[in-house]
Amino acid sequence: MSEELKLKNQVCFPVYNLAKEIISLYRPILKDLDLTYSQYIVMLVLWENEEQNVSEIGSLLNLDSGTLTPLLKRLELKGFIERKRKATDERVVSITLTEEGRNKKEKAECIPTQLVEALDISIEDLSELKRITEKITNQINKIK
Amino acid sequence: MSEELKLKNQVCFPVYNLAKEIISLYRPILKDLDLTYSQYIVMLVLWENEEQNVSEIGSLLNLDSGTLTPLLKRLELKGFIERKRKATDERVVSITLTEEGRNKKEKAECIPTQLVEALDISIEDLSELKRITEKITNQINKIK
DNA sequence: CACAATTATATTGTACACAATTTAATTTTG
DNA sequence: CAAAATTAAATTGTGTACAATATAATTGTG
């Protein structure tokens, strides 16, 4: 059999697999905060900038409205965010944090440390992982 | 704001994001073969070994029956595989390739090359990506 | 050998992820 | 300024992904 089609020689599979593995490490930690991983990265974006459009969140996280609309509705239902159409442009839905959503940030502060501990990986390996994945993502986005 | 919670400092996000980006490069290529990415990696496993149980496929790909059962039923519906309970142990579902599924392999031979071309990344970067992601996955699996 | 425990898969329910289409609002242009 | 084009979200449909539970078959044990 041709070597290239063997699972062990695939390039994407290890990345796809690692993403799932890391997310599964996040899962129990995030459960205490009542957040899924996808909800968590949306909250990260909002903690950094408390008011953003759906499309702004989408372009930061590479998620479209088909993913974000229901996800944001779930965050709204839990009382972490508010969704309001802009008066100046009714097409735009502006997302803001509620008091509860803002307060969650303090509880979240320890997550990056907890995760690095759960990973049990050297800082060197982590930064190399970050460097190479970002490099390749940038290169992909350049040609698109 | 604490640096650690900023999106740009996250470790998992670039991995999660890159996995999605690579899969989106696969999508148009795999569409010609009438396969999704998940279906493709299942076919990879079967091309390597034409008869395997659901659980064997699952442990190679880290997917459980909740994911695999419907996915395999879709592959069966397309006529690429067959699902048959083992006579020796009726609990076990054995998956085999059909003639059509086997023939797909030839059409798939060019995919790894096509993808590397679409990525437009040096072999060095790709092997570094593979090395570091596999290293970290192994480390995660060691502590689990 | 019967019954409990285990095993393999299937099912159910929730939550992404994304393509394609729809809807409604705003901008552009003739 | 009205019709066409564009834009932003929402909706619909398909396909993962996984936890939890169910079902059915097999194995282990008294």
Side-chain angles (χ1 to χ4, degrees):
Chain A
M1 138 147 207
S2 85
E3 278 300 308
E4 283 184 329
L5 280 181
K6 286 188 178 167
L7 185 64
K8 68 174 169 57
N9 295 325
Q10 297 300 307
V11 182
C12 181
F13 181 70
V15 182
Y16 154 84
N17 196 38
L18 178 58
K20 289 198 306 168
E21 297 252 29
I22 302 183
I23 289 172
S24 78
L25 290 178
Y26 269 109
R27 201 165 289 125
I29 300 174
L30 290 175
K31 201 175 181 181
D32 294 343
L33 285 174
D34 191 19
L35 291 172
T36 64
Y37 180 72
S38 306
Q39 291 166 10
Y40 171 64
I41 60 177
V42 168
M43 293 300 283
L44 281 182
V45 162
L46 291 169
W47 287 326
E48 242 178 281
N49 188 346
E50 296 211 358
E51 173 159 11
Q52 286 180 83
N53 301 342
V54 173
S55 61
E56 287 167 344
I57 298 172
S59 74
L60 285 169
L61 300 177
N62 288 310
L63 295 172
D64 72 4
S65 68
T67 303
L68 283 175
T69 300
L71 187 156
L72 292 167
K73 284 181 178 173
R74 280 187 286 270
L75 287 178
E76 186 183 37
L77 210 69
K78 295 193 216 187
F80 304 161
I81 65 164
E82 267 183 88
R83 299 162 63 249
K84 229 182 331 219
R85 292 208 176 257
K86 279 237 165 91
T88 51
D89 186 341
E90 290 276 356
R91 291 171 304 180
V92 177
V93 172
S94 168
I95 308 296
T96 51
L97 287 172
T98 60
E99 190 57 25
E100 192 182 352
R102 206 181 349 267
N103 290 342
K104 256 187 192 309
K105 191 177 164 185
E106 268 103 82
K107 277 198 77 175
E109 298 281 359
C110 60
I111 290 179
T113 311
Q114 270 183 278
L115 192 84
V116 170
E117 277 165 16
L119 276 167
D120 191 30
I121 306 288
S122 71
I123 304 295
E124 291 74 37
D125 282 348
L126 279 184
S127 62
E128 175 60 10
L129 176 67
K130 191 170 157 60
R131 186 192 69 78
I132 193 81
T133 50
E134 283 175 349
K135 178 176 181 182
I136 295 181
T137 299
N138 286 337
Q139 206 136 345
I140 291 175
N141 286 322
K142 219 184 296 169
I143 51 177
K144 278 200 307 205
Chain B
M1 140 146 204
S2 84
E3 278 299 309
E4 284 185 326
L5 281 182
K6 287 190 179 165
L7 185 65
K8 69 175 168 58
N9 295 325
Q10 297 300 308
V11 183
C12 181
F13 180 70
V15 182
Y16 153 85
N17 197 38
L18 178 58
K20 288 197 305 168
E21 298 253 29
I22 302 183
I23 288 172
S24 78
L25 289 179
Y26 269 109
R27 200 166 289 125
I29 300 174
L30 290 176
K31 201 175 183 181
D32 293 344
L33 286 175
D34 191 19
L35 290 173
T36 65
Y37 179 72
S38 307
Q39 291 166 9
Y40 171 64
I41 59 177
V42 169
M43 294 299 283
L44 281 182
V45 162
L46 290 169
W47 287 326
E48 242 179 280
N49 188 346
E50 296 211 359
E51 172 159 9
Q52 284 179 86
N53 301 341
V54 174
S55 61
E56 287 167 344
I57 297 171
S59 74
L60 285 168
L61 301 177
N62 288 310
L63 295 171
D64 73 4
S65 68
T67 303
L68 284 175
T69 298
L71 186 156
L72 291 168
K73 284 180 177 173
R74 280 188 283 270
L75 287 178
E76 186 183 36
L77 210 69
K78 296 193 215 185
F80 304 162
I81 64 163
E82 267 184 88
R83 298 162 64 248
K84 228 182 333 222
R85 295 212 172 253
K86 279 237 163 91
T88 51
D89 186 341
E90 290 276 355
R91 291 171 306 180
V92 177
V93 172
S94 167
I95 308 296
T96 51
L97 287 172
T98 60
E99 190 56 25
E100 192 181 353
R102 208 182 346 269
N103 291 342
K104 256 186 191 309
K105 191 177 165 183
E106 268 102 83
K107 278 197 77 176
E109 298 281 359
C110 60
I111 291 179
T113 311
Q114 270 183 279
L115 192 84
V116 170
E117 276 164 17
L119 277 166
D120 190 31
I121 307 289
S122 70
I123 303 295
E124 291 73 37
D125 282 349
L126 278 185
S127 61
E128 175 60 9
L129 176 67
K130 191 171 157 58
R131 187 192 68 78
I132 193 82
T133 51
E134 284 176 349
K135 178 175 181 182
I136 295 180
T137 299
N138 287 336
Q139 206 136 347
I140 291 175
N141 287 322
K142 218 185 296 169
I143 51 178
K144 279 200 309 207

